[in-house]
């Protein structure tokens, strides 16, 4: 399972020492939609990079493998209650066209992330 590589800030919300409680908030975009053309031809649209093991492999910047592809920000997908809100629904056979620009996104192993977006809507 792979998740979006997101930058986040840790914020202490309570407690002290080993009993402290933290939350992680995104400081980079997270609400991406995969492009339908990429899901139709994943073999040529998703690129795997093997980076090898270094340091602590479960840290975001030491992930031993990355998958890159292209996506667009979906402005209709917003945070709700401190988490990613429900994904906007559009039928797969007739995905909504987004006017946002195409960007490259990076997916890393789920265990290497603190903020985990692993499911994406599909758009044109």
């Amino acid at each position: 399972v792979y998740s979006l590589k997101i930058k986040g800030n840790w914020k202490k919300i309570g407690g002290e020492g080993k009993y402290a409680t933290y939350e992680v908030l995104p400081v980079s975009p997270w609400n991406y939609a995969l492009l339908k053309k990429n899901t139709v031809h994943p073999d040529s649209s998703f690129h795997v990079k093997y980076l090898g093991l270094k340091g602590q492999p479960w840290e975001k910047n030491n992930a031993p493998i990355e998958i890159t592809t292209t996506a667009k920000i979906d402005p209709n997908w917003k945070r709700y209650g401190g988490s990613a809100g429900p994904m906007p629904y559009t039928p797969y056979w007739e995905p909504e066209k987004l006017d946002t620009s195409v960007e490259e996104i990076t997916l890393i192993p789920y265990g290497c992330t603190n903020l985990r977006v692993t499911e994406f809507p599909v758009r044109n």
Side-chain angles (χ1 to χ4, degrees):
V1 176
Y2 289 82
S3 295
L4 183 65
K5 187 174 183 178
I6 308 171
K7 293 179 184 172
N9 279 343
W10 288 81
K11 177 183 172 188
K12 183 177 175 182
I13 58 174
E16 294 299 325
K18 66 180 180 180
Y19 302 106
T21 305
Y22 295 86
E23 67 180 354
V24 186
L25 300 172
V27 293
S28 63
W30 59 270
N31 54 336
Y32 286 99
L34 297 179
L35 303 178
K36 183 176 180 184
K37 68 179 184 171
N38 292 353
T39 65
V40 173
H41 301 288
D43 53 332
S44 61
S45 300
F46 290 81
H47 307 284
V48 179
K49 296 178 189 174
Y50 298 99
L51 304 171
L53 292 174
K54 60 184 178 222
Q56 171 50 268
W58 297 113
E59 291 180 5
K60 174 178 59 181
N61 294 324
N62 291 339
I65 189 169
E66 293 181 346
I67 300 173
T68 57
T69 191
T70 52
K72 290 182 174 185
I73 294 281
D74 189 336
N76 300 313
W77 192 14
K78 300 182 187 300
R79 287 179 51 196
Y80 178 79
S83 297
M87 275 194 300
Y89 174 76
T90 298
Y92 179 76
W93 56 89
E94 192 178 319
E96 178 182 343
K97 181 170 177 26
L98 295 175
D99 291 330
T100 55
S101 60
V102 175
E103 299 178 33
E104 183 176 88
I105 62 169
T106 301
L107 306 172
I108 57 177
Y110 181 86
C112 297
T113 60
N114 295 315
L115 295 169
R116 296 177 171 140
V117 177
T118 58
E119 186 177 353
F120 299 90
V122 175
R123 303 285 186 259
N124 277 328

